[in-house]
Amino acid sequence: MADGLDLNTLSLEQLSQLKQQEEQKLSQIQGHYTSLKATQARFINSQSTLTSLPPKKATAMIPLTQSLYVSAVVNPQSKKPHDQTVLVELGTGFYANKTIRDAHQFMQRKIELTAKNADSLFQVVGATRRNIDAIIMTMQGKMNERAAEAWAEGRKFGEEQRRRTGG
Protein backbone atom coordinates (compact mmCIF):
# COMPACT_ATOMS: atom_id res chain seq x y z
CA MET A 1 0.00 0.00 0.00
CA ALA A 2 1.01 3.61 -0.49
CA ASP A 3 1.47 4.34 3.22
CA GLY A 4 4.14 1.62 3.57
CA LEU A 5 1.98 -0.81 5.53
CA ASP A 6 3.04 -4.45 5.03
CA LEU A 7 -0.27 -6.22 4.52
CA ASN A 8 1.29 -9.64 5.04
CA THR A 9 1.94 -8.84 8.71
CA LEU A 10 -1.76 -8.24 9.41
CA SER A 11 -4.29 -10.84 10.50
CA LEU A 12 -7.39 -11.58 8.45
CA GLU A 13 -9.47 -9.60 10.95
CA GLN A 14 -7.16 -6.59 10.67
CA LEU A 15 -7.20 -6.86 6.88
CA SER A 16 -10.99 -6.97 6.92
CA GLN A 17 -11.12 -3.81 9.05
CA LEU A 18 -8.60 -2.07 6.81
CA LYS A 19 -10.60 -3.05 3.71
CA GLN A 20 -13.75 -1.62 5.27
CA GLN A 21 -11.95 1.66 6.07
CA GLU A 22 -10.62 1.92 2.52
CA GLU A 23 -14.08 1.24 1.08
CA GLN A 24 -15.57 4.01 3.25
CA LYS A 25 -12.79 6.35 2.15
CA LEU A 26 -13.47 5.41 -1.49
CA SER A 27 -17.18 6.11 -1.08
CA GLN A 28 -16.51 9.56 0.40
CA ILE A 29 -13.98 10.46 -2.29
CA GLN A 30 -16.37 9.36 -5.03
CA GLY A 31 -19.06 11.56 -3.47
CA HIS A 32 -16.69 14.55 -3.50
CA TYR A 33 -15.73 13.77 -7.09
CA THR A 34 -19.38 13.65 -8.17
CA SER A 35 -20.03 16.94 -6.38
CA LEU A 36 -17.07 18.61 -8.10
CA LYS A 37 -18.21 17.41 -11.52
CA ALA A 38 -21.73 18.76 -10.83
CA THR A 39 -20.23 22.09 -9.77
CA GLN A 40 -18.13 22.18 -12.91
CA ALA A 41 -21.25 21.55 -15.01
CA ARG A 42 -23.00 24.48 -13.31
CA PHE A 43 -20.05 26.76 -14.12
CA ILE A 44 -20.08 25.60 -17.75
CA ASN A 45 -23.83 26.26 -17.91
CA SER A 46 -23.36 29.72 -16.39
CA GLN A 47 -20.59 30.51 -18.84
CA SER A 48 -22.69 29.47 -21.83
CA THR A 49 -25.61 31.51 -20.51
CA LEU A 50 -23.39 34.60 -20.54
CA THR A 51 -22.96 34.28 -24.30
CA SER A 52 -26.71 34.03 -24.85
CA LEU A 53 -27.75 37.16 -22.94
CA PRO A 54 -30.01 39.31 -25.09
CA PRO A 55 -28.41 42.51 -26.41
CA LYS A 56 -31.62 44.47 -25.86
CA LYS A 57 -34.50 44.49 -23.41
CA ALA A 58 -36.12 41.05 -23.01
CA THR A 59 -38.10 39.00 -20.49
CA ALA A 60 -36.77 35.89 -18.83
CA MET A 61 -37.81 33.34 -16.23
CA ILE A 62 -35.44 33.44 -13.27
CA PRO A 63 -35.28 30.36 -11.02
CA LEU A 64 -35.78 31.04 -7.33
CA THR A 65 -35.62 27.32 -6.52
CA GLN A 66 -35.52 24.21 -8.70
CA SER A 67 -39.29 24.39 -9.19
CA LEU A 68 -40.13 28.06 -8.58
CA TYR A 69 -39.49 30.80 -11.16
CA VAL A 70 -40.19 34.51 -11.37
CA SER A 71 -40.58 36.58 -14.51
CA ALA A 72 -37.93 39.26 -14.93
CA VAL A 73 -36.90 41.87 -17.46
CA VAL A 74 -33.32 41.76 -18.73
CA ASN A 75 -32.52 45.37 -19.45
CA PRO A 76 -28.95 45.98 -20.66
CA GLN A 77 -27.51 49.09 -19.05
CA SER A 78 -25.13 49.77 -21.90
CA LYS A 79 -25.45 49.89 -25.66
CA LYS A 80 -22.19 47.91 -26.03
CA PRO A 81 -22.65 44.20 -25.22
CA HIS A 82 -19.18 43.87 -23.64
CA ASP A 83 -19.88 46.72 -21.22
CA GLN A 84 -23.02 45.07 -19.83
CA THR A 85 -22.66 43.86 -16.26
CA VAL A 86 -23.98 40.81 -14.47
CA LEU A 87 -24.04 39.87 -10.82
CA VAL A 88 -21.67 36.94 -10.22
CA GLU A 89 -21.62 34.76 -7.12
CA LEU A 90 -18.03 34.65 -5.95
CA GLY A 91 -18.79 31.98 -3.39
CA THR A 92 -20.40 31.57 0.03
CA GLY A 93 -22.95 34.30 -0.47
CA PHE A 94 -20.56 36.94 -1.84
CA TYR A 95 -21.51 38.62 -5.13
CA ALA A 96 -19.85 41.13 -7.43
CA ASN A 97 -20.84 43.09 -10.50
CA LYS A 98 -18.68 42.07 -13.43
CA THR A 99 -18.72 42.83 -17.13
CA ILE A 100 -19.80 39.92 -19.28
CA ARG A 101 -16.22 39.39 -20.44
CA ASP A 102 -14.89 39.43 -16.86
CA ALA A 103 -17.67 37.10 -15.75
CA HIS A 104 -16.85 34.75 -18.64
CA GLN A 105 -13.17 34.73 -17.61
CA PHE A 106 -14.15 34.17 -13.96
CA MET A 107 -16.29 31.18 -14.94
CA GLN A 108 -13.44 29.81 -17.06
CA ARG A 109 -11.08 29.98 -14.07
CA LYS A 110 -13.67 28.21 -11.91
CA ILE A 111 -14.16 25.51 -14.58
CA GLU A 112 -10.41 24.92 -14.79
CA LEU A 113 -10.05 24.84 -11.00
CA THR A 114 -12.86 22.32 -10.52
CA ALA A 115 -11.47 20.20 -13.37
CA LYS A 116 -8.02 20.19 -11.76
CA ASN A 117 -9.47 19.26 -8.36
CA ALA A 118 -11.65 16.55 -9.91
CA ASP A 119 -8.62 15.11 -11.72
CA SER A 120 -6.70 15.02 -8.43
CA LEU A 121 -9.58 13.23 -6.74
CA PHE A 122 -9.78 10.79 -9.65
CA GLN A 123 -6.13 9.88 -9.00
CA VAL A 124 -6.93 9.28 -5.32
CA VAL A 125 -9.90 7.09 -6.32
CA GLY A 126 -7.57 4.96 -8.45
CA ALA A 127 -5.01 4.64 -5.65
CA THR A 128 -7.69 3.71 -3.13
CA ARG A 129 -9.10 1.07 -5.48
CA ARG A 130 -5.61 -0.37 -5.89
CA ASN A 131 -5.26 -0.45 -2.08
CA ILE A 132 -8.55 -2.34 -1.78
CA ASP A 133 -7.44 -4.79 -4.48
CA ALA A 134 -4.14 -5.39 -2.67
CA ILE A 135 -5.97 -6.01 0.60
CA ILE A 136 -8.34 -8.46 -1.09
CA MET A 137 -5.44 -10.31 -2.73
CA THR A 138 -3.63 -10.56 0.62
CA MET A 139 -6.80 -11.80 2.32
CA GLN A 140 -7.29 -14.44 -0.39
CA GLY A 141 -3.67 -15.55 -0.02
CA LYS A 142 -4.05 -15.90 3.75
CA MET A 143 -7.30 -17.84 3.35
CA ASN A 144 -5.63 -20.15 0.80
CA GLU A 145 -2.77 -20.71 3.26
CA ARG A 146 -5.25 -21.59 6.00
CA ALA A 147 -7.11 -23.96 3.69
CA ALA A 148 -3.86 -25.66 2.66
CA GLU A 149 -2.83 -26.03 6.31
CA ALA A 150 -6.23 -27.48 7.20
CA TRP A 151 -6.02 -29.88 4.26
CA ALA A 152 -2.53 -30.97 5.28
CA GLU A 153 -3.66 -31.47 8.88
CA GLY A 154 -6.64 -33.51 7.69
CA ARG A 155 -4.44 -35.65 5.46
CA LYS A 156 -1.95 -36.18 8.27
CA PHE A 157 -4.78 -37.19 10.62
CA GLY A 158 -6.15 -39.60 8.02
CA GLU A 159 -2.77 -41.28 7.55
CA GLU A 160 -2.36 -41.71 11.31
CA GLN A 161 -5.81 -43.28 11.53
CA ARG A 162 -5.00 -45.76 8.75
CA ARG A 163 -1.75 -46.78 10.49
CA ARG A 164 -3.55 -47.30 13.78
CA THR A 165 -6.30 -49.38 12.24
CA GLY A 166 -3.92 -51.28 10.01
CA GLY A 167 -5.64 -50.20 6.82
Side-chain angles (χ1 to χ4, degrees), residues 6 15 23 36 43 65 67 80 94-95 111 113 138 155:
D6 185 4
L15 287 168
E23 286 171 339
L36 270 176
F43 287 134
T65 66
S67 59
K80 300 177 192 171
F94 290 95
Y95 299 87
I111 291 166
L113 179 63
T138 304
R155 186 171 180 207

Side-chain angles (χ1 to χ4, degrees), residues 83-130:
D83 291 339
Q84 293 178 15
T85 61
V86 292
L87 191 61
V88 176
E89 181 181 6
L90 302 176
T92 350
F94 290 95
Y95 299 87
N97 277 319
K98 291 188 173 286
T99 64
I100 290 177
R101 184 175 53 192
D102 289 344
H104 192 275
Q105 290 170 349
F106 176 80
M107 292 299 159
Q108 186 61 39
R109 287 191 304 273
K110 289 290 198 174
I111 291 166
E112 290 168 2
L113 179 63
T114 53
K116 180 181 173 186
N117 289 340
D119 288 343
S120 296
L121 276 182
F122 189 75
Q123 298 298 321
V124 175
V125 165
T128 305
R129 283 187 177 147
R130 287 188 296 276

